[in-house]
Amino acid sequence: MRLTRKATAMALASCMVLSMTACGGSQTAATTAAPATEAATTAAATEAAKEAETTAAAAAEATGTADMSDKKVGISIYKFDDNFMTLYRTELERYLTEDLGFKKENITIQDGKGDQAEQTNQIQNFIASGVDVMILNLVQASSAPQVTDMCKDANIPVVYINREPDVAEEERWASEKINATYVGADARQSGTFQGEEIAETANKGDINGDGKVSYIMVQGDPENVDAQYRTEFSVKALTDAGIEVEELLMQRGDWDQAKGQQIVQDALTQFGDKVEVVFCNNDAMALGALQAIEAAERKVNEDIYLVGVDALTEAVQNVVDGKMTGTVFNDHFSQADTAADIAVKFLSGETVDPVNMVDYVKVTSDNAADILAKVK
Ligand code: BGC
């Protein structure tokens, strides 16, 4: 699908170039007639350019792909310094330009720097500069009502990604027919998969055989539902399977590797062998946790279990190598492509659902090699 679209876009692009140059043969006045004056040349060239535009538009129509070459997109990412959102951002830009025909110079991507006031400013600038659509990864999902109203007043559709606004806000878009939508993945599913990965180990996570699973929970930014749901549903999957649990520690690591390392280092010092499972709300923090686990000379899958979420290349490699028990693929390809496809739908005047979810995939030693090939 991706390749076909890309090929179509490339064929269209070369068709456009061809019709504007001598290769076009009899297609345009500019290439067939020797112009008598400079004015005539300019006129013919203008006409040729117009014709090329019409041809591109007609071809786009015929193939079902809208012509996006003059559409402006404003994108703001909550912060550039986030491993997962960097993968997401790269795919978003690639897909918009290579597969959907947006021009690179018409796409502005801003770094929200983890500061909502700064990001709101960027959004105001997008409005002032007349972007046609916005794709926003909010710093604080709770600012969605205010941001949505700003976009609505400016008549600019908005696609929210990764940090989900609350249900009341999503329902408002539908009831008030506002051109706003969310693209993401249901974090309850990722939490459940993490818990199942532990429940599926030989001793069901109870390494010391005392009849309960003692864990530490390293949380992402708790303002974010991904952090809330992963924390809740990972443990719920264990208790739903009839497994007794004991929480030794829960601490926020804000999705950050260095914080993850510090939290787990301190927890291992404090609780020692009591720690049987380390749940991390994402892989960046799990990579930090692994550094702490190795420094404490503990061995994953032997005397401690470790799970994350995202399927960062390094984390999946760790699953292959037995250094992490599992992770969960947070499919940034499908999420980025869906967000971009939906932006095009808005620009084409189509109706869009308020919530669009992509599935997570469980990653254990059984399928890690396959997933690695996908994400590498
Ligand atoms: C990812 C995290 C990321 C966060 C950013 C989550 O879905 O799992 O790695 O830091 O989104 O909002």
Side-chain angles (χ1 to χ4, degrees), residues 198 201 203-213 276-277 305:
I198 299 302
T201 60
N203 46 21
K204 300 185 176 169
D206 184 11
I207 294 175
N208 57 23
D210 66 352
K212 59 179 192 262
V213 171
E276 296 171 300
V277 174
Y305 292 116

Side-chain angles (χ1 to χ4, degrees), residues 78 82-85 137-138 162-163 224 226 230 254-255 281-284 309-310 312 330 335 360:
Y78 94 97
D82 176 292
N83 317 37
F84 174 73
M85 285 315 301
N137 173 210
L138 291 176
N162 173 257
R163 295 189 156 189
N224 185 329
D226 284 9
R230 287 176 194 163
D254 295 321
W255 308 116
N281 283 174
N282 79 345
D283 278 349
V309 176
D310 280 340
L312 298 180
N330 190 2
Q335 290 176 63
Y360 282 101

Side-chain angles (χ1 to χ4, degrees), residues 83-124:
N83 317 37
F84 174 73
M85 285 315 301
T86 300
L87 297 174
Y88 196 129
R89 169 161 55 100
T90 307
E91 171 61 13
L92 190 55
E93 192 177 10
R94 186 207 66 75
Y95 187 72
L96 282 166
T97 51
E98 290 182 22
D99 289 28
L100 297 182
F102 287 86
K103 287 213 184 98
K104 200 170 164 61
E105 62 267 30
N106 288 342
I107 301 172
T108 310
I109 309 185
Q110 299 276 8
D111 180 358
K113 297 183 184 151
D115 178 345
Q116 188 57 58
E118 164 117 20
Q119 189 178 51
T120 304
N121 218 4
Q122 291 165 358
I123 295 165
Q124 262 147 2

